Amino acid sequence: MPNPFDVLSRTRTSAAHHRVGLLQVGLAAVLWGTTGVVVRRLHENAGLSALSIGFYRLVAAAAVLLILAAPRLGRVFSALRSRPVALMASGVGLAAYQVLYFVAVTGAGVGVATVVSLGIAPIVTLLWEAMLARRAPRPKALTVVVAALAGLALVGASGSAVTVSAPHPVLGLLAATGSGFTYAATIMVNRHAAQGVSPLLMTTVATGVGALTLLPFAVVAGATFAPTTTALTELLYLGVATTVIAYGLFYAGLRTVAGSVAAVLTLLEPLTATALAVILLGEPLPALTMVGTALLLGAVATLYRTPSRSTSADLIE
C-alpha cells in the first residue's frame, strides 16, 4: 500500500509545478503583448512592413540562440534527429500563423484579426484534447473558455471602432481563421515536442526554421531599411524579449500545462497590448475594454487557482 504522505507530497509537487507552468505561459503572453507597440514604432520610423519585422525578429532570435547554444550545438542536431517532424512543424507553424495574422490585420482590421485568430485557438485545442481523451470537457472548463473568449471579444470590439477600414474583409477573415487553426495546431505540436527537448534547443530550432520559412516572403515584401541605432535596438528587443525569452518560457510551461489551458492564457497577449496602447500611446479606455479585461483576468485567475490533476487533461473529465 502506498504511503499516503508520499502521495500527498507528490500531489503538492505536481500542483506547484503546474502553477509554475501557468506563470511561465502567462509571462510569455505578456511579453508577446509588448510586440505591438514596438512593431508600430518600427513601421513608422524605419518603414518596415509587418512581415519584414517578423522576419528580422526571428533572425535576431535565431542568432542570439545559436550563440547561447554554441557549446551544445551538437544537441540541436540530435534534437532534430530525435523529433524531426515535430520540431520542423513547430518552426513552420511559428512562421505561418504570424504571416496569416499579418494578412488578416491588413485585410480585415486589427479587431477582427485578433478576436478570430486568438479566439479560435482555445476552442480547437479544448475539443482536440477531449477527442484524444474520448471524454467531454468539464463544465468548469467550458465556462472558463467562454468567459475568456467573451472578454477577448469585448476588448476587440471596443478597439475596432478606431481601426482603419477593412479593404479585403473576406480574405482577412479567412486568413484570421487559418491563423487561429495554425496557432492551435502549433500549440499541440509544441506540447508534444516540449516533453523531450529542452526549451533552449526547441526555441533555437523553431526560430531558425521560422526565419528560413519567412525569408522568401520578406524578400518579396521588401526587407531593406536604414539600420539606425533605435531600429536595431527595437529589433533586438523583439528578438530577445518577445521571442527568445517569451518562447523559452512558453515551451517550458508546456511541459506541465495542457495545450487548451495554454491557449486561454495566451489571451493575455491582446490584453497587454491594449493596456500598453492606453499607457504609452494615449489611446482611450472604453467601458467595453474594462469589462472584457475583467472577464479575461477572471478566467486566468480561475486557471491558476485550480490544481491540475493531470498534465495532459486539465480541462477534460
Side-chain angles (χ1 to χ4, degrees):
M1 180 177 178
N3 188 325
F5 293 101
D6 290 340
V7 173
L8 180 60
S9 176
R10 287 196 297 269
T11 301
R12 288 177 176 174
T13 301
S14 176
H17 289 168
H18 178 68
R19 289 193 172 98
V20 169
L22 292 174
L23 286 175
Q24 289 171 324
V25 175
L27 286 174
V30 170
L31 285 173
W32 289 331
T34 67
T35 303
V37 173
V38 181
V39 168
R40 177 171 169 176
R41 286 176 52 86
L42 276 168
H43 178 68
E44 293 176 351
N45 300 329
L48 282 169
S49 66
L51 181 59
S52 297
I53 293 171
F55 167 69
Y56 282 122
R57 172 192 183 189
L58 293 181
V59 168
V64 171
L65 285 165
L66 283 174
I67 294 174
L68 294 176
R72 293 170 286 183
L73 199 57
R75 297 185 183 180
V76 174
F77 296 104
S78 298
L80 273 172
R81 286 194 298 269
S82 65
R83 296 174 181 267
V85 176
L87 290 176
M88 292 293 287
S90 176
V92 173
L94 172 62
Y97 67 71
Q98 284 192 76
V99 171
L100 288 170
Y101 178 72
F102 294 151
V103 173
V105 169
T106 303
V110 176
V112 172
T114 302
V115 170
V116 174
S117 61
L118 288 180
I120 283 176
I123 299 173
V124 172
T125 51
L126 179 62
L127 293 177
W128 179 252
E129 288 176 352
M131 288 174 58
L132 289 180
R134 297 182 179 180
R135 296 175 182 175
R138 290 189 286 169
K140 186 175 183 179
L142 292 176
T143 302
V144 168
V145 172
V146 169
L149 293 178
L152 179 61
L154 289 175
V155 171
S158 63
S160 62
V162 296
T163 59
V164 297
S165 59
H168 306 290
V170 176
L171 175 62
L173 182 60
L174 290 174
T177 303
S179 177
F181 275 98
T182 305
Y183 180 55
T186 304
I187 288 178
M188 303 306 295
V189 170
N190 286 342
R191 191 175 195 284
H192 171 70
Q195 306 307 314
V197 180
S198 73
L200 174 62
L201 296 182
M202 189 169 175
T203 310
T204 302
V205 174
T207 53
V209 173
L212 291 175
T213 303
L214 286 183
L215 176 59
F217 299 98
V219 171
V220 173
T224 58
F225 72 105
T228 63
T229 302
T230 300
L232 292 176
T233 300
E234 290 169 344
L235 285 173
L236 188 61
Y237 172 81
L238 290 178
V240 175
T242 70
T243 309
V244 174
I245 298 176
Y247 278 98
L249 288 169
F250 184 66
Y251 294 146
L254 284 178
R255 291 182 168 187
T256 56
V257 174
S260 52
V261 176
V264 173
L265 286 172
T266 53
L267 297 182
L268 287 172
E269 177 183 348
L271 182 61
T272 303
T274 300
L276 288 177
V278 172
I279 297 170
L280 300 180
L281 303 179
E283 294 186 1
L285 184 62
L288 285 179
T289 298
M290 297 177 66
V291 175
T293 298
L295 283 172
L296 270 172
L297 291 178
V300 172
T302 300
L303 289 176
Y304 183 76
R305 289 176 59 85
T306 304
S308 174
R309 294 177 304 176
S310 166
T311 58
S312 63
D314 296 326
L315 298 182
I316 57 177
E317 289 286 4

